[in-house]
Amino acid sequence: SRPILDMSYSRHFLDFQGSSIPSSMKKLVVTKLSQNFREAVTLQQDSPVPLPGDGDLLVRNRFVGINASDINYSAGRYDASVKPPFDIGFEGVGDVVALGLSASADYTVGQAVAYVKAGSFAEYTVVPARQAVPLPSVKPEFLTLMVSGATAYLSLKELGDLSEGKKVLVTAAAGGTGQFAVQLAKKAKCHVIGTCSSDEKGGFLKSIGCDRTINYKTENVESVLRKDYPEGVDVVYESVGGKMFDLALNALAIKGRLIVIGFIAGYQNPTGLQPIKAELLPAKLLKKSASVRGFFLNHYLSDYKMALQQLLKMYERGDLVCEVDFGDMSPEGKFTGLESVFRAVDYMYMGKNIGKIVVELPHSVNSKL
């Protein structure tokens, strides 16, 4: 007697709390290509709520995740064929409020799910049932695993070759994905070094097991690495780019591996890049038998569900800290509602966050309960 709301044949439907799903909603749309998120993106107040097809879920978003690459997406850097207007936001967690007939074989109205799919910066998102991840409850911590946790897990597993005693350097270690690289490297019994921009972040990193923190605002990263790790580091998990990439490359040990998962320092530039000393790269790699590998999550989707299941198990056992930053310490307070996504992106680029930046989308339905 599960409630099945078959959207294939009916345009009138109720959500599981007995309140009518509205016909219109707010969502963020890229209306102009620009790496300046505020210029590129418009908050639309009365977009139609989309209808799920036969194999789809309609998810009412409760929490959405902010990613450094949101501004790469708004600048049109991932797919040159996509022209504005288009939806934005990569990941969400929420409740299934309606679904198509075949989707009802595996899901029910009221079920908590997470997903990775473009278009999460909206009050409602249609998600193909096969792409959804069922959750025990709607919690923002689950959102931290979807892109950030999975990136750390798969890149280190596939490219890191971690083993006991290896020295691992994590740049932007207190960020959304850095927090997982630190913890996963520690679980592999590695010695972990993390760079960060404040003593508060350093304290957080120590609390999750980081062996040596380097506050790059008060310490010279290059000097610390040369002095404390004269033989170099075995693996670098690198997401900053620019000068930090050059430092990390120079710090590699013999047969060291540098994994590039991003280069946030350049994303706000018109080209999306910041200069690096690349002309020396072949000589530096040859001299150390070292390697540089790129990692883009979309190329590892065949292993994605496995990675997520492992991470969820670790979190539910209490073996993984999933730090969420709602922006409580930001000047205008907590990130609540789609209008605060703009502030949340700014906050990320100011380097203020500890953990994954998450925006809560409150729904008036909840206030009726």
Side-chain angles (χ1 to χ4, degrees), residues 85-146:
F86 55 87
D87 297 347
I88 191 165
F90 292 131
E91 55 187 341
V93 165
D95 314 289
V96 175
V97 290
L99 69 171
L101 191 57
S102 62
S104 68
D106 299 306
Y107 288 91
T108 59
V109 168
Q111 190 160 359
V113 293
Y115 63 89
V116 176
K117 176 184 179 284
S120 70
F121 292 164
E123 290 179 312
Y124 296 86
T125 302
V126 167
V127 179
R130 59 189 163 70
Q131 287 179 22
V133 178
L135 298 173
S137 61
V138 173
K139 282 172 76 172
E141 285 78 9
F142 292 125
L143 193 56
T144 67
L145 302 173
M146 299 300 294

